[in-house]
Amino acid sequence: MKGRQTERIIRGFLYLIIAAFLLWAYRSGAFQFILDNPDDLLYLLKQHIELVALSSFLAVMVSVPVGILVTRPRFRKYAWIAVNTANIGQTIPSLAVLALVLTYFGIGYFTAVFALWVYSLLPILRNTIAGIENINPSIIDAGKGMGMTSRQILWRLELPNALYAILAGIRTSIVINVGTAALAFLIGGGGLGDLIFTGISLYDTGIMLAGALPVTLLAITLDYVLGKAEKWIIPKGLQRNLDHV
Amino acid sequence: MIRFKNVTKTYESENKSVTAVDNVSLEVEAGHICVFLGPSGCGKTTLLRMVNRLIPITSGTIEINGKEIQSFDVIELRRSIGYVIQQTGLFPNMTIEENICVVPQLLGWDRVKMKQRYNELMDMMGLNPDEYRNRYPWELSGGQQQRIGVARALAADPPVMLMDEPFGALDPIIRERLQNEFLRIQGDVKKTILFVSHDIDEAIKLGDTIAIFQAGRLMQHGTPDEILANPQDQFVSEFVGNDRALKRLTLFTVRELLKKAGSGTGKASANKLAATSQVHVDANLRTALSVILSSDTGEAAVVDDQGQSVAVLRLADFESFTGIHPKRLTSIVQ
Amino acid sequence: MELAAFIQNNWTDLLRLTWEHVQLVGLAVSVSVLTGVPFGIYIAQREILANLVLTVAGIVMTIPSIALFGIMIPILSYIGHGIGFLPAFLALVLYSQLPIIRNTYIAIKNVNPDLREAAIGMGMTTWERLTKVEIPMALPVIMAGVRMAVVLTIGIGAIAAYIGAGGLGEYIARGISTSYETMVQAGAIAVSLLALVVDFVLGSVQKRLSPKTAR
């Protein structure tokens, strides 16, 4: 097959570029900083992960329940407010959110967590609402008609069937959060952004890459792992949808 | 038995009120299928959904076996009524077995009993229980999904079933097969069934009685024969179609005709007829009619299970039974 | 209010930075459209290649922008452009590729096969079919991709101020480093407004391109 061959060539070429880049980075002494200061790197990496974990966890804890709440019949009339807020909020650049939070709370760890939390809320909220609202109404009608209580409908029908969308929202949010957390250094959050910004201001390739490469790896790895986790968690009957994405 | 008494549903919006169901009174006997028939928007689905209180009643009462539905706990009421809808409403996150056992599970049956019931129902539907147990709805064809939908509604053996155009989305061949299976199953289980349809042929085939609706009002309620023979007004007669005389023929078999006519036709000439002009004694009269019309002699030999001819049928025999002049019959067919 | 006073005193500067920002984003997205749309159309005919391209573009998207800057600066400094317009421009082009390629690909794939058949049946050449049937049908979805790309690059463009690319991020960067809160606010609000306004305008364009029945 001609297509497969082209694909293999391109794939090989891409691996080659990455290998060449890493070799070049090594030769130009880029890893020297990492080798010389492994403790610094580990400390900042840990800080970075903590920032992301804490703010993302809090975002999930708030967004999913709020998303469920606004899709209840009583509040459904107001769901559009949440959807529009989420859409508009996601249009605002991350740096602007961080900067605005900074001017209210001043520099510090709390500011960083709060800003990351705010920016992580919206993708999860939007996907939770969309996931629940996009469920085929006949499924809910059947559940109701068969005598499920509203709590049973939520737990047995709505949440399992919206799970794909909700998890996708959480994944997107976390991956974005890894990148935004690299900016959190600017407002007192620490993390790997420390090395990147220091490297830029000192124009030091080694320091720059010592921050940039781990952040990149962290984002790509998390994206991959969370993608695998989705397949684990999502009910088998809905896995068909995964193949199309 | 289900009894509707002066049931009305009005939707109030800001400056006007719409009457979806208008003062409907109707009784359906236990073990009967009553088909709610009418064009879309006539209120038939609304009326159906009021029975399990998915739609609240504005005024009037609905009784099931003499007990007013408002006196039940709504959740218990729904669990005691089977519910089948057109889009199947199968739960995509659950296996076929889980889907079928939803209501038994809600009612707290034990595992052994649920499994037994699942096997029983799948056998009834003509599907292999083990083959489908762990499969998911999307892996099944439309016809199979709808069978599961019916099985699910039957799971807890409810005395009453509501069916909202359950076969409406299927292609004609599959639909007919499911209708036949459904009639066979109903012959065993004898549920009281309210069945929404917009298809007159389906209504004639499945209904013990048919209730025809227009703009929220019940226009006529009667057996298929009554409705076809004596449509009450212009709307009903137009809705059942110009060929209602012909449709009516599907309600009777050759055997019934012969019984009524006293089989006065001669036996002797029967054997001379070509084999192609034979009709089985249990075939319906519409089939018999088309056999007669397509035979050269204008006759058909009636044969029994053994292939023995028991009588000869002519066009004239129809008149005595249906009261329709042969010429009119012929013109309707052509 | 301090903010109002700041804006009043610095509005020419604010306009200059906005213009810089718009230029950077506009140039990057234009290049992306010119390359991404044809590429998206091309891979729509090649399933295996499309999978690879979309996967790679997806991975590029997960790379945090500031990290990508950190990786590009050392490479580009070899040709003497480590800091400034070029790395920012290249990064924005890379980031805006995915939404544009993906949406073009999906849009072309989703053109009703009956329409395609009809066009072939009417004797249209491949080129005519593409320009008269498939692209017009696909345009709203492609436009949605462009809109996503623009909003995304406005945000990343703000971060690019840290590598000397100018634009409204400069107020945020300078404001934070000198603890001048009003300047930070002015920059953040201006760049947010820019994103919201552009999103709204492109949204209207997208609606206008959609067939009337789909509105």
Side-chain angles (χ1 to χ4, degrees):
Chain A
M1 292 243 322
K2 202 176 157 217
R4 291 220 177 276
Q5 217 160 24
T6 335
E7 194 228 346
R8 215 171 292 150
I9 292 168
I10 297 174
R11 199 182 277 271
F13 186 65
L14 285 173
Y15 287 145
L16 214 65
I17 291 181
I18 294 170
F21 167 74
L22 288 176
L23 187 70
W24 163 81
Y26 178 73
R27 297 273 304 266
S28 61
F31 294 119
Q32 208 54 45
F33 181 87
I34 303 178
L35 293 173
D36 291 348
N37 308 282
D39 292 343
D40 281 4
L41 183 74
L42 277 181
Y43 173 76
L44 291 174
L45 181 66
K46 198 169 144 256
Q47 208 173 31
H48 200 105
I49 292 174
E50 272 171 12
L51 261 181
V52 171
L54 185 58
S55 53
S56 285
F57 174 75
L58 293 176
V60 172
M61 292 325 264
V62 172
S63 283
V64 174
V66 170
I68 291 170
L69 193 72
V70 299
T71 49
R72 295 311 90 197
R74 224 179 316 163
F75 300 107
R76 204 147 215 166
K77 268 188 273 179
Y78 309 107
W80 64 272
I81 299 176
V83 172
N84 280 359
T85 310
N87 282 337
I88 291 174
Q90 276 185 292
T91 310
I92 296 174
S94 53
L95 186 62
V97 173
L98 263 56
L100 285 174
V101 173
L102 168 75
T103 58
Y104 281 101
F105 294 113
I107 282 204
Y109 189 73
F110 171 79
T111 307
V113 172
F114 183 81
L116 294 180
W117 171 74
V118 168
Y119 204 66
S120 302
L121 287 171
L122 304 178
I124 307 175
L125 179 64
R126 187 168 71 163
N127 275 35
T128 304
I129 295 173
I132 292 177
E133 290 203 324
N134 286 345
I135 294 173
N136 186 338
S138 70
I139 292 171
I140 307 300
D141 184 47
K144 236 192 242 173
M146 291 165 74
M148 287 188 173
T149 61
S150 21
R151 183 171 299 188
Q152 284 164 338
I153 289 176
L154 173 66
W155 286 100
R156 296 186 189 190
L157 300 182
E158 290 183 298
L159 286 183
N161 286 299
L163 202 58
Y164 172 72
I166 297 174
L167 290 180
I170 293 176
R171 178 181 169 194
T172 309
S173 172
I174 290 179
V175 172
I176 294 176
N177 202 0
V178 171
T180 317
L183 303 174
F185 159 73
L186 298 171
I187 58 170
L192 290 162
D194 192 340
L195 294 173
I196 303 176
F197 284 102
T198 309
I200 290 174
S201 60
L202 296 178
Y203 211 79
D204 183 316
T205 306
I207 300 179
M208 235 183 280
L209 287 176
L213 288 180
V215 168
T216 305
L217 273 179
L218 187 61
I220 293 176
T221 312
L222 267 179
D223 188 44
Y224 181 78
V225 169
L226 292 173
K228 286 278 169 216
E230 279 174 6
K231 291 218 168 192
W232 265 75
I233 300 170
I234 292 171
K236 282 201 188 65
L238 304 168
Q239 297 261 332
R240 177 179 55 145
N241 302 332
L242 285 183
D243 300 337
H244 295 304
V245 182
Chain B
M1 188 174 80
I2 304 176
R3 182 184 288 132
F4 296 85
K5 244 192 255 168
N6 307 105
V7 175
T8 297
K9 175 73 203 178
T10 47
Y11 288 103
E12 302 286 345
S13 63
E14 279 160 32
N15 42 20
K16 58 178 178 185
S17 74
V18 180
T19 305
V21 173
D22 191 356
N23 200 24
V24 169
S25 296
L26 171 73
E27 274 181 34
V28 180
E29 272 178 60
H32 273 198
I33 301 176
C34 175
V35 179
F36 290 0
L37 186 67
S40 52
C42 69
K44 55 192 194 297
T45 297
T46 309
L47 191 62
L48 186 86
R49 289 164 62 88
M50 283 197 273
V51 176
N52 60 359
R53 289 172 59 188
L54 284 171
I55 296 177
I57 301 178
T58 308
S59 68
T61 57
I62 301 175
E63 288 170 15
I64 295 179
N65 296 330
K67 229 183 140 193
E68 226 267 290
I69 57 164
Q70 298 296 335
S71 67
F72 289 87
D73 171 68
V74 66
I75 297 296
E76 268 170 47
L77 173 77
R78 288 173 185 166
R79 287 178 188 176
S80 67
I81 297 177
Y83 186 48
V84 189
I85 55 179
Q86 183 178 347
Q87 306 84 349
T88 76
L90 293 184
F91 305 141
N93 54 318
M94 299 184 190
T95 63
I96 299 304
E97 186 175 20
E98 287 166 343
N99 261 290
I100 287 185
C101 294
V102 166
V103 178
Q105 211 236 340
L106 291 173
L107 293 171
W109 291 18
D110 65 62
R111 273 174 189 285
V112 180
K113 195 175 166 197
M114 280 200 291
K115 195 167 173 180
Q116 215 176 348
R117 183 65 179 151
Y118 165 80
N119 290 341
E120 216 175 278
L121 285 163
M122 290 297 275
D123 285 337
M124 195 190 273
M125 295 296 143
L127 297 169
N128 182 342
D130 294 320
E131 192 186 334
Y132 292 94
R133 192 183 303 280
N134 294 318
R135 292 173 83 177
Y136 287 92
W138 65 270
E139 298 176 274
L140 273 56
S141 70
Q144 288 170 330
Q145 287 187 16
Q146 205 48 272
R147 281 189 186 95
I148 303 299
V150 174
R152 186 173 70 171
L154 284 167
D157 208 16
V160 174
M161 301 246 287
L162 308 177
M163 307 182 81
D164 191 355
E165 302 208 25
F167 310 133
L170 304 172
D171 71 65
I173 295 171
I174 305 286
R175 186 189 310 151
E176 200 181 333
R177 193 180 302 157
L178 258 71
Q179 286 168 347
N180 293 338
E181 278 175 29
F182 171 68
L183 280 177
R184 173 179 59 76
I185 293 166
Q186 166 68 357
D188 294 336
V189 296
K190 301 230 167 27
K191 302 293 178 193
T192 311
I193 297 174
L194 302 180
F195 190 110
V196 165
S197 177
H198 63 256
D199 176 2
I200 174 75
D201 292 313
E202 184 170 68
I204 293 168
K205 182 166 183 179
L206 301 182
D208 291 307
T209 60
I210 299 176
I212 297 193
F213 293 90
Q214 189 210 7
R217 275 177 309 164
L218 176 62
M219 306 307 282
Q220 189 170 4
H221 180 215
T223 64
D225 188 36
E226 283 164 6
I227 294 211
L228 291 173
N230 302 304
Q232 205 155 7
D233 57 20
Q234 182 88 17
F235 172 79
V236 175
S237 99
E238 271 170 24
F239 192 81
V240 298
N242 294 329
D243 57 345
R244 64 191 164 86
L246 202 59
K247 283 185 179 127
R248 211 177 142 224
L249 292 178
T250 62
L251 295 170
F252 305 101
T253 63
V254 176
R255 194 190 293 277
E256 286 167 309
L257 183 141
L258 292 178
K259 205 181 270 174
K260 198 174 177 196
S263 61
T265 21
K267 261 184 181 180
S269 59
N271 295 334
K272 294 176 195 162
L273 287 168
T276 47
S277 302
Q278 286 186 350
V279 61
H280 192 269
V281 70
D282 287 324
N284 72 44
L285 290 183
R286 186 169 179 174
T287 313
L289 182 66
S290 51
V291 171
I292 291 171
L293 290 175
S294 60
S295 81
D296 301 331
T297 52
E299 294 175 325
V302 180
V303 297
D304 59 14
D305 286 333
Q306 283 77 41
Q308 294 291 315
S309 74
V310 293
V312 169
L313 209 55
R314 295 190 183 82
L315 208 51
D317 297 322
F318 284 82
E319 190 180 359
S320 63
F321 189 75
T322 60
I324 303 169
H325 193 270
K327 268 195 185 145
R328 257 202 74 210
L329 264 186
T330 327
S331 70
I332 291 167
V333 176
Q334 286 152 358
Chain C
M1 226 178 104
E2 272 183 76
L3 187 61
F6 179 89
I7 293 169
Q8 211 162 22
N9 293 333
N10 299 282
W11 67 273
T12 41
D13 203 32
L14 200 62
L15 278 182
R16 179 182 59 82
L17 291 175
T18 308
W19 177 236
E20 262 177 32
H21 210 112
V22 169
Q23 264 185 316
L24 178 65
V25 169
L27 211 58
V29 175
S30 304
V31 170
S32 270
V33 169
L34 288 179
T35 54
V37 172
F39 197 55
I41 295 173
Y42 176 76
I43 62 169
Q45 340 276 340
R46 273 150 239 262
E47 201 56 47
I48 300 167
L49 188 65
N51 268 331
L52 180 73
V53 168
L54 294 176
T55 310
V56 171
I59 291 173
V60 170
M61 285 290 289
T62 60
I63 301 177
S65 50
I66 189 69
L68 188 66
F69 290 145
I71 292 170
M72 279 169 70
I73 291 171
I75 301 176
L76 290 174
S77 59
Y78 268 85
I79 54 168
H81 284 281
I83 286 263
F85 178 80
L86 192 65
F89 169 76
L90 281 181
L92 293 196
V93 170
L94 268 179
Y95 280 119
S96 48
Q97 287 293 319
L98 176 69
I100 293 173
I101 294 178
R102 187 181 51 197
N103 276 40
T104 307
Y105 167 80
I106 291 171
I108 297 284
K109 276 261 146 189
N110 284 356
V111 170
N112 187 343
D114 291 346
L115 277 180
R116 196 171 290 149
E117 286 288 302
I120 295 169
M122 286 160 78
M124 287 189 182
T125 63
T126 308
W127 177 249
E128 284 169 336
R129 207 180 74 216
L130 219 48
T131 52
K132 292 200 172 132
V133 180
E134 299 191 3
I135 294 180
M137 293 294 295
L139 212 51
V141 180
I142 297 177
M143 196 58 212
V146 173
R147 182 178 165 200
M148 264 187 262
V150 170
V151 171
L152 188 74
T153 46
I154 288 177
I156 298 172
I159 300 169
Y162 276 95
I163 58 165
L168 286 165
E170 215 172 290
Y171 268 174
I172 300 177
R174 239 195 293 154
I176 290 178
S177 65
T178 57
S179 300
Y180 188 1
E181 285 191 356
T182 313
M183 187 187 257
V184 174
Q185 277 172 352
I189 291 172
V191 80
S192 304
L193 276 178
L194 181 64
L196 289 171
V197 169
V198 170
D199 185 51
F200 179 78
V201 170
L202 292 179
S204 315
V205 174
Q206 186 189 331
K207 252 185 207 154
R208 185 152 295 190
L209 289 174
S210 306
K212 293 224 162 43
T213 49
R215 267 192 207 181

